[in-house]
Amino acid sequence: MTSELGEFGAQSALRVFGPNAEAALLLTVIMTAVGLAIFALVMAFVWLAARRGGQPRTWWIWGGGLVFPLVTILALFVFSSITLRAIARTDPDATVIEVTGHQYWWDVIYDPDGRAIRDANEIVVPVGEPVTFRLKTADVIHSFWVPSLGGKLDMIPGRTNSFTLTASEAGRFRGQCAEFCGLSHPKMAFEVVAVPPEDFAAFLDRLEGEARDAARPELLDGKQVFLDAGCAACHQIRGVAEGARIGPDLTRVGGRAALGAGMWRMNKGNLAGWIADVSDMKPGAQMPDYNHLSGPDLRALAAWLESLK
Ligand code: HEC
Ligand SMILES: [Cu+2]
């Protein structure tokens, strides 16, 4: 099945919505402009030399061959060092969100040192406020990258890496694992959703509670299928099945815009397709296919999951 990549938020390092991304873009533009200008200059001199012929004066050799490159390269080096330092700074007062990379999804914990509220594959942040991402991995090396908000940072076994990003505008920003991590590495994406700070607080309060389904009686069949099929061995749904950590937390799975770590639209059809045939949608994903479920059971399960918001 093909993905619905283009459906989700902006993913471009050239469309920037935060100070880190702005700094990186400015560095890119200046490096490129200086490089192009020098290229044009050298070509012009080559052309002149070819037309005029004769011997160059020695000061051209010293000036153009040594002094000029030293000065320009030193200037660019200082500028890029300043940019890199600014980008790598972590803000001690920022909101902390812990993200752990798994093959091929993202475990998310809001306020890891306090309320420790778990979610997955979609990260909500307060707009205009700094957020420190504390990055870990459960298996191989992954890399956390939201191009519109700032540079990437690797998730390395046995280490915790942190950096601070600020979204300067409300909106949806797509992220992508930027380090090859296995068969479905290209299908390991996510979204950062920047909302007003008061909405962020409300989101956390709501998320912290037990899962809320649409409370329609026919949906209860789906909940029973979830319990009978053994999904709770790997998935937590607060208030229904607690504790499992092998797969993403599904407490508000139907509230996410995307299914399967930023890949497909969240709806009943895609959910049913995923549960029956995950190995086709995401080869190598560590979830078994449930193609033995009956049609009605599969539909009920998908409908119940979709109602968890
Ligand atoms: C052996 C562990 C395991 C079992 C059992 C399991 N899953 Fe999963 N599930 C996973 C893993 C791992 C992922 C993440 C796959 C990925 O994206 O790479 C996942 C992903 C999902 C997702 C997508 C979540 C998201 O945020 O997009 C849904 C929905 C889901 N599982 C539903 C179920 C249901 C329903 C069952 C029972 C019928 C089930 N799973 C059984 C491990 C499991
Ligand atoms: Cu990865």
Side-chain angles (χ1 to χ4, degrees), residues 19 21 27 30 48 54 93 102 129 134 175 192 222 229 232 242 244 288-289 291 306 309:
L27 181 63
I30 287 180
L48 266 181
D93 302 320
H102 290 250
E129 290 181 5
R134 199 186 279 173
V192 173
E242 312 267 349
D289 289 345
N291 44 20
E306 200 251 354
K309 299 207 164 128

Side-chain angles (χ1 to χ4, degrees), residues 103-104 106 140-145 152-157 176-186 188:
Q103 286 168 315
Y104 305 97
W106 314 84
V140 300
I141 301 178
H142 302 276
S143 187
F144 182 90
W145 187 33
K152 51 188 107 149
L153 192 59
D154 280 4
M155 303 166 128
I156 296 169
Q176 165 71 46
C177 178
E179 180 73 46
F180 179 75
C181 60
L183 205 53
S184 276
H185 156 71
M188 182 171 171

Side-chain angles (χ1 to χ4, degrees), residues 32-234:
T32 311
V34 171
L36 284 175
I38 293 176
F39 179 75
L41 199 69
V42 170
M43 285 301 119
F45 282 136
V46 167
W47 181 74
L48 266 181
R51 265 175 59 112
R52 290 179 37 182
Q55 281 291 314
R57 295 189 193 95
T58 40
W59 69 264
W60 267 108
I61 311 277
W62 289 104
L66 201 68
V67 179
F68 180 76
L70 269 180
V71 170
T72 18
I73 290 173
L74 192 71
L76 289 177
F77 174 74
V78 169
F79 183 56
S80 58
S81 306
I82 292 171
T83 305
L84 290 181
R85 280 189 70 115
I87 288 177
R89 201 177 297 134
T90 52
D91 184 335
D93 302 320
T95 302
V96 179
I97 302 178
E98 185 172 298
V99 183
T100 304
H102 290 250
Q103 286 168 315
Y104 305 97
W105 61 280
W106 314 84
D107 188 32
V108 179
I109 304 176
Y110 294 93
D111 190 11
D113 305 320
R115 295 158 77 190
I117 311 168
R118 201 174 218 104
D119 199 11
N121 289 340
E122 189 179 76
I123 306 170
V124 179
V125 300
V127 70
E129 290 181 5
V131 175
T132 293
F133 289 94
R134 199 186 279 173
L135 304 174
K136 300 181 175 178
T137 171
D139 38 51
V140 300
I141 301 178
H142 302 276
S143 187
F144 182 90
W145 187 33
V146 193
S148 291
L149 298 185
K152 51 188 107 149
L153 192 59
D154 280 4
M155 303 166 128
I156 296 169
R159 278 193 61 145
T160 304
N161 284 340
S162 299
F163 69 166
T164 302
L165 297 179
T166 307
S168 55
E169 272 180 44
R172 311 187 76 92
F173 308 105
R174 197 165 188 278
Q176 165 71 46
C177 178
E179 180 73 46
F180 179 75
C181 60
L183 205 53
S184 276
H185 156 71
K187 294 182 171 178
M188 182 171 171
F190 61 103
E191 270 194 300
V192 173
V193 186
V195 299
E198 57 279 13
D199 292 2
F200 177 67
F203 165 79
L204 285 190
D205 289 344
R206 188 180 157 83
L207 180 66
E208 193 171 25
E210 297 192 340
R212 261 163 285 212
D213 55 32
R216 292 199 304 271
E218 71 273 18
L219 291 176
L220 292 179
D221 293 346
K223 184 177 183 176
Q224 198 55 49
V225 177
F226 180 87
L227 294 169
D228 293 346
C231 315
C234 297

